[in-house]
Amino acid sequence: MKVIAAYLLLQLAGKTPDAKSIEKVLKAGGVSADNDKIKALIAAVGDSDVEELITEGVGKMGSLGAASGGAAAPAAGGGGGGGAAPAKEEKKKEESEEDDDMGFGLFD
């Protein structure tokens, strides 16, 4: 994913991504470059338009959304008494954030 991100950053900057420029972006981000992955990405993309590849991939992922929608439905449907639960959960979150402080702040 990091190699793809570097490729897309170069593409957005208006540059033609090649192995050397991808490696440079990765190193600037403090990430070690894997030359095999870089070469594989460049070979896979070839002369294709990246925007078309993304659009095609989003279309393919759209078919996956129908399968995952069923799992989210039970979490969304809370029934009649669901109104009070978020307030309690909010109080718990506030307490845990205070506990994380451990008595000192970043700028104390």
Side-chain angles (χ1 to χ4, degrees), residues 13-86:
K15 300 180 180 183
T16 304
D18 59 4
K20 188 174 183 178
S21 60
I22 292 172
E23 184 176 350
K24 186 175 179 180
V25 169
L26 290 171
K27 286 187 178 181
V31 178
S32 61
D34 184 350
N35 289 328
D36 293 335
K37 289 183 181 180
I38 294 171
K39 290 177 185 177
L41 175 65
I42 292 172
V45 173
D47 293 332
S48 301
D49 181 26
V50 174
E51 290 181 20
E52 288 178 18
L53 292 173
I54 292 172
T55 303
E56 184 181 318
V58 168
K60 289 179 181 179
M61 288 175 48
S63 65
L64 298 175
S68 66

Side-chain angles (χ1 to χ4, degrees), residues 77-88:
K88 290 180 183 177

